[in-house]
């Protein structure tokens, strides 16, 4: 009969196991206030929402070159409208209590299974998709702003579509460099 060793080897194995487990547990402690993972930055530039088969992505108020929107002036919307339905939809109106009735320029029919870009304050033509530009574009202007609009707070903006229905989004003034909508 062979005798099993006792004492040091068994104690050393137990100690090594406990030290390894402690190292794994304590390694999670580095996720404190000053690390590369202490801040999460959203890749979303603006407000998002959906109604029916229509998705609204990165919707913001674009003041152009100014840091605020002065009372009495106009502001334009920036973002993307995506129609996931098999039928075209129509953007009927955009309203907010902070301005007069919206003026739409460009292509407000949201084609089936396609995207329409709200170009914001970017200069240039807007319109239906073409062989050189497969994305439709529109410029939605909110005229006669009732009060100064600042970056920070949100302002309710209501979108009404013929098929999908109505959605109100809390939209903010975005004075940063625009990121292309996806």
């Amino acid at each position: 009969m062979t005798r099993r060793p006792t004492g040091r080897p068994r104690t050393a194995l137990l100690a090594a196991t406990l030290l390894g487990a402690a190292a794994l547990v304590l390694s999670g402690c580095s996720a404190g206030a000053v690390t590369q993972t202490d801040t999460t930055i959203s890749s979303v530039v603006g407000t998002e929402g959906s109604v029916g088969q229509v998705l609204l992505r990165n919707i913001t108020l674009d003041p152009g070159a100014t840091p605020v929107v002065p009372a009495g002036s106009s502001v334009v919307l920036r973002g993307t409208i995506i129609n996931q339905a098999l039928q075209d939809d129509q953007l009927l109106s955009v309203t907010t209590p902070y301005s007069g009735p919206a003026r739409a320029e460009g292509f407000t029919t949201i084609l089936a299974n396609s995207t329409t870009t709200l170009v914001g304050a970017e200069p240039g033509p807007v319109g239906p998709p073409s062989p050189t530009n497969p994305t439709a574009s529109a410029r939605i202007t909110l005229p006669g702003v009732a009060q100064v609009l600042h970056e920070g707070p949100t302002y309710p903006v209501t979108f009404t579509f013929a098929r999908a229905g109505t959605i109100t989004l809390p939209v903010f003034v975005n004075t940063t460099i625009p990121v292309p909508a996806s």
Side-chain angles (χ1 to χ4, degrees):
M1 178 176 213
T2 47
R3 215 175 142 144
R4 196 172 199 176
T6 61
R8 284 201 185 279
R10 184 181 247 172
T11 305
L13 180 61
L14 178 63
T17 303
L18 289 175
L19 283 174
L24 285 174
V25 169
L26 292 176
S27 68
C29 291
S30 67
V34 186
T35 68
Q36 292 178 344
T37 60
D38 72 336
T39 305
T40 303
I41 299 172
S42 174
S43 61
V44 176
V45 175
T47 302
E48 296 190 349
S50 63
V51 58
Q53 294 291 309
V54 173
L55 309 175
L56 294 108
R57 297 290 182 251
N58 302 328
I59 305 297
T60 62
L61 296 168
D62 183 357
T66 63
V68 297
V69 180
S73 68
S74 296
V75 65
V76 289
L77 289 167
R78 175 180 294 280
T80 305
I81 302 173
I82 303 163
N83 184 1
Q84 294 182 321
L86 299 176
Q87 299 174 342
D88 296 352
D89 206 337
Q90 181 73 35
L91 178 61
L92 297 177
S93 68
V94 177
T95 59
T96 180
Y98 293 95
S99 80
R103 291 188 315 255
E105 174 189 349
F107 200 66
T108 58
T109 298
I110 316 302
L111 298 175
N113 254 349
S114 72
T115 299
T116 297
T117 301
L118 302 178
V119 297
E122 288 180 20
V126 290
S130 67
T132 58
N133 185 8
T135 302
S137 60
R139 184 174 292 109
I140 308 293
T141 303
L142 301 170
V145 172
Q147 69 180 49
V148 175
L149 304 180
H150 298 276
E151 187 174 33
T154 60
Y155 304 95
V157 177
T158 302
F159 294 82
T160 302
F161 297 91
R163 292 183 181 277
T166 300
I167 184 171
T168 300
L169 298 175
V171 179
F172 62 89
V173 175
N174 184 8
T175 59
T176 60
I177 297 172
V179 175
S182 56

